[in-house]
């Protein structure tokens, strides 16, 4: 940064060298006492040349605008940001003596780096157009059967029931298990609201329990403490790609004769003791929303190895219509079907799932390496017996103001996503909550970084450096 400093009486060549020194294209002009008295950008320099100035000429007083934009060390991030616009992209930060201590740069034209984007560069379009041309565009068709078969096999479950999204997948499983009014279902506090919404739509009573502070997944201790004689099921959520402690959970379920529905919406391909998630519980549900590990646009699936549950779910998915007698309804069912078009995309995605998972892991590794100097960051843990997957790169910002950090990242064109709010904190769910300390703490610190093929790591590092340099938290 010091090399970007240029004396007010330097030559045009000296000014050019200072401008060229850092990629900000700006020189900070100082007086004899090293106090900043102006800012000259590469644009200003070009205009000076066009006006006939030679490189050997010295700067003149008229070149330096005395009412330049600057900020002081004690100004908060938002205040500094407000000083920038499409013209003012670099703001010098001055100490009480008017000397340069740092600079702030924000380019209002930077394209936002999204947190997630689907990778559709395999056979997706080929299969989709095949399904389209076949005219089987609704919920019957070869791709539906293939996707159900391939995905259930991949996860090690006997049956796959493709549905329209990951929320109805949970609802379908609950209803097929006969869970409804008067029954309690234990859910974790730190999850997407779909988990609890499905329980409420089934007419059952959710019981919200805390998560483990290390794995961020539902705590078996909290489950144990929450079991009552009304409890019918547990929904462990493999949150942010981390498998839950399935040994402990399955033991509690066995001891108390409870159903287990794994919510694996965020954990396709994750493993617990070498076994894929989705194959432990009586049923498991997945989402194929556009930001998930593999996608069908919208979509979901329930897996089960229980033949009866499979039969019931297939009937309920299709308006409760009898399989033997068409248009005869034995149950009040739903239309929860997936289309053949969606399944076609799903088949192509599934062909590349191992590559997709490896690529996501590699992105996380690069973040860990690039950001290792920022010791306030705590990365999602890995456990011996659990092979977690990287859904969205997930981490905690400890002891700093996370929202200020978000501001810095977003203003550098890096989208960022806070962890889910604990269910227990939201008035519509709070009455169902038992315990929430860890969920509350994690939710306040956690966030997801862009987990996409084209992460600009230098931009990310720069944003973190800016955050640190601005001492936003102090
Ligand atoms: C943990 C969890 N459960 C359920 C869902 C619901 O999935 P969908 O959006 O496909 O309904 C999601 C995802 O959005 C999720 O993250």
């Amino acid at each position: 940064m010091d090399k970007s400093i240029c004396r007010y009486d330097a030559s045009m060549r000296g000014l050019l060298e200072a401008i060229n020194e850092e990629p900000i294209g700006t020189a900070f002009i100082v007086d004899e006492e090293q106090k900043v008295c102006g800012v000259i950008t590469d644009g200003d320099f070009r205009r000076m040349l066009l006006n006939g100035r030679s490189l050997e000429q010295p700067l003149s007083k008229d070149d330096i605008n005395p009412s330049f934009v600057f900020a002081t060390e004690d100004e908060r991030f938002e205040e500094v940001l407000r000083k920038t616009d499409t013209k003012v992209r670099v703001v010098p930060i001055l100490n009480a003596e008017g000397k340069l201590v740092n600079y702030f740069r924000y380019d209002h034209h930077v394209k936002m780096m999204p947190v997630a984007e689907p990778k559709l560069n395999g056979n997706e379009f080929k299969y989709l157009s095949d399904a389209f041309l076949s005219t089987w565009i609704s919920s019957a068709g070869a791709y539906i059967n293939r996707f159900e078969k391939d995905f259930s096999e991949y996860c090690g479950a006997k049956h796959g029931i493709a549905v329209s999204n990951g929320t109805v997948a949970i609802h379908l499983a609950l209803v097929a298990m006969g869970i409804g009014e008067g029954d309690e279902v234990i859910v974790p506090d730190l999850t997407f609201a779909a988990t609890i919404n499905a329980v409420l739509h089934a007419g059952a009573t959710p019981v919200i329990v805390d998560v483990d502070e290390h794995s961020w997944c539902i705590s078996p201790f909290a489950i144990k403490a929450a079991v009552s004689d009304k409890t019918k099921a547990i929904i462990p959520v493999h949150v942010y790609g981390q498998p839950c402690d399935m040994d402990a959970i399955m033991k509690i379920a066995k001891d108390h004769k409870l159903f287990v529905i794994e919510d694996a919406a965020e954990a396709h391909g994750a493993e617990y003791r070498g076994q894929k998630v989705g194959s432990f519980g009586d049923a498991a549900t997945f989402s194929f929303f556009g930001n998930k590990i593999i996608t069908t646009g919208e979509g979901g699936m329930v897996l089960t190895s229980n033949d009866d549950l499979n039969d019931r779910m297939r009937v309920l998915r299709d308006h409760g219509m009898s399989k033997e007698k068409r248009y005869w309804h034995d149950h009040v069912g739903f239309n929860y079907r997936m289309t053949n078009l969606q399944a076609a995309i799903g088949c192509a995605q599934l062909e590349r799932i191992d590559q997709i998972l490896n690529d996501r892991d590699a992105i996380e590794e690069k973040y860990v390496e690039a950001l290792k100097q920022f010791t306030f960051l705590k990365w999602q843990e890995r456990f011996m017996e659990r092979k977690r997957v990287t859904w969205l790169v997930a981490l905690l910002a400890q002891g700093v103001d996370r929202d200020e950090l978000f501001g810095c990242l977003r203003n550098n064109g890096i989208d960022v996503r806070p962890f889910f709010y604990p269910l227990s904190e939201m008035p519509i769910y709070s009455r169902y909550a038992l315990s929430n300390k860890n969920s509350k703490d994690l939710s306040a610190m956690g966030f997801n970084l862009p987990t996409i093929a084209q992460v600009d790591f230098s931009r990310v590092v720069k944003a973190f450096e800016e955050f640190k340099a601005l001492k936003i938290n102090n």
Side-chain angles (χ1 to χ4, degrees):
M1 187 178 68
D2 285 355
K3 290 187 178 157
S4 300
I5 294 175
C6 173
R7 266 200 40 147
Y8 71 99
D9 52 1
S11 67
M12 287 284 283
R13 185 181 297 283
L15 174 65
L16 178 61
E17 279 164 10
I19 287 174
N20 266 349
E21 195 49 49
E22 295 220 15
I24 53 174
T26 301
F28 304 104
I29 313 301
V30 296
D31 62 16
E32 295 91 344
E33 293 169 336
Q34 290 294 306
K35 288 182 186 169
V36 178
C37 56
V39 168
I40 297 183
T41 67
D42 45 7
D44 299 331
F45 182 82
R46 249 179 285 125
R47 278 183 287 277
M48 284 147 82
L49 285 186
L50 286 171
N51 284 339
R53 301 281 285 281
S54 86
L55 282 180
E56 304 318 320
Q57 268 182 300
L59 291 174
S60 87
K61 268 215 167 96
D62 296 340
D63 296 327
I64 303 160
N65 175 7
S67 52
F68 66 99
V69 177
F70 68 94
T72 52
E73 273 182 299
D74 54 353
E75 281 183 62
R76 290 178 67 80
F77 174 79
E78 288 82 2
E79 293 169 318
V80 184
L81 179 67
R82 265 197 294 276
K83 296 186 173 182
T84 65
D85 56 29
T86 48
K87 292 208 178 79
V88 178
R89 287 175 295 135
V90 177
V91 179
I93 314 279
L94 310 184
N95 64 16
E97 293 164 36
K99 291 181 180 166
L100 187 72
V101 287
N102 210 329
Y103 63 79
F104 176 76
R105 174 194 182 201
Y106 180 64
D107 188 343
H108 286 259
H109 301 295
V110 170
K111 190 172 169 282
M112 208 66 172
M113 216 192 288
V115 168
E117 68 189 6
K119 277 193 93 181
L120 304 171
N121 54 350
N123 284 322
E124 283 79 356
F125 191 65
K126 185 172 159 207
Y127 295 170
L128 181 61
S129 44
D130 182 43
F132 178 87
L133 292 171
S134 77
T135 72
W136 290 92
I137 58 170
S138 289
S139 52
Y143 285 108
I144 290 280
N145 302 336
R146 177 169 154 191
F147 189 41
E148 288 183 338
K149 180 174 168 293
D150 290 357
F151 191 70
S152 54
E153 264 175 31
Y154 172 78
C155 297
K158 196 167 166 193
H159 308 285
I161 300 102
V163 292
S164 32
N165 59 63
T167 311
V168 302
I170 306 170
H171 186 242
L172 187 66
L174 286 164
V175 176
M177 287 168 182
I179 293 172
E181 220 179 303
D183 298 331
E184 289 181 358
V185 178
I186 298 174
V187 299
D189 198 16
L190 189 68
T191 181
F192 182 57
T195 317
I196 192 169
N197 285 346
V199 175
L200 288 164
H201 285 307
T205 306
V207 177
I208 302 168
V209 303
D210 207 357
V211 298
D212 174 74
E213 64 181 308
H214 300 290
S215 69
W216 311 344
C217 294
I218 193 165
S219 153
F221 298 106
I223 297 176
K224 234 177 181 169
V227 173
S228 77
D229 51 9
K230 290 187 183 154
T231 311
K232 285 285 174 324
I234 309 165
I235 308 186
V237 178
H238 305 302
V239 75
Y240 299 119
Q242 182 78 273
C244 296
D245 183 348
M246 291 314 294
D247 277 355
I249 292 167
M250 294 311 291
K251 174 153 190 339
I252 299 170
K254 192 164 171 234
D255 291 349
H256 298 273
K257 297 194 172 45
L258 308 176
F259 284 111
V260 172
I261 303 171
E262 294 171 71
D263 181 345
E266 305 169 4
H268 316 60
E271 292 175 17
Y272 179 84
R273 295 197 194 285
Q275 183 182 331
K276 289 250 167 33
V277 302
S279 60
F280 289 88
D282 302 277
T285 61
F286 288 82
S287 166
F288 304 117
F289 182 66
N291 68 5
K292 296 299 187 292
I293 287 166
I294 61 166
T295 184
T296 57
E298 293 278 359
M301 200 178 293
V302 192
L303 302 184
T304 185
S305 295
N306 177 317
D307 295 341
D308 284 346
L309 267 183
N310 174 50
D311 290 344
R312 257 177 281 157
M313 286 194 279
R314 286 185 185 284
V315 168
L316 286 168
R317 173 181 66 173
D318 193 10
H319 296 286
M321 199 194 299
S322 164
K323 287 285 167 209
E324 286 77 40
K325 197 167 158 185
R326 284 201 85 195
Y327 301 112
W328 183 264
H329 297 260
D330 296 313
H331 306 274
V332 182
F334 319 98
N335 175 358
Y336 280 174
R337 299 175 306 236
M338 177 186 269
T339 68
N340 197 40
L341 298 172
Q342 291 168 299
I345 298 173
C347 286
Q349 288 267 289
L350 189 57
E351 286 174 348
R352 292 183 296 113
I353 191 165
D354 290 338
Q355 186 60 51
I356 291 171
L357 288 169
N358 284 343
D359 291 349
R360 286 175 175 269
D361 274 349
I363 293 167
E364 182 173 340
E365 272 170 35
K366 281 189 194 156
Y367 272 118
V368 174
E369 178 59 28
L371 300 176
K372 64 182 176 208
Q373 54 179 306
F374 303 103
T375 49
F376 60 87
L377 297 177
K378 184 172 187 299
W379 299 90
Q380 189 177 17
E381 286 190 40
R382 290 191 189 275
F383 302 91
M384 282 280 281
E385 71 283 9
R386 309 185 204 191
K387 187 172 156 225
R388 73 162 169 84
V389 290
T390 304
W391 168 42
L392 299 176
V393 171
L395 65 164
L396 308 177
Q398 292 180 311
V400 295
D401 185 331
R402 187 189 62 172
D403 292 337
E404 304 260 30
L405 173 63
F406 284 5
C408 234
L409 286 158
R410 290 200 179 114
N411 289 316
N412 275 280
I414 300 147
D415 200 9
V416 69
R417 208 178 104 156
F419 271 15
F420 302 119
Y421 290 107
L423 298 175
S424 58
E425 298 280 297
M426 292 181 253
I428 53 167
Y429 306 125
S430 57
R431 82 190 87 144
Y432 306 113
L434 292 187
S435 53
N436 76 349
K437 159 109 183 51
N438 295 334
S439 307
K440 199 173 165 187
D441 291 349
L442 291 165
S443 169
M445 292 186 286
F447 64 105
N448 303 109
L449 284 166
T451 311
I452 57 171
Q454 308 292 333
V455 177
D456 179 347
F457 288 99
S458 59
R459 209 201 299 173
V460 176
V461 172
K462 196 183 123 292
F464 275 88
E465 275 169 354
E466 273 177 23
F467 171 69
K468 209 172 151 191
L470 281 168
K471 296 188 178 65
I472 291 170
N473 197 42
N474 299 321

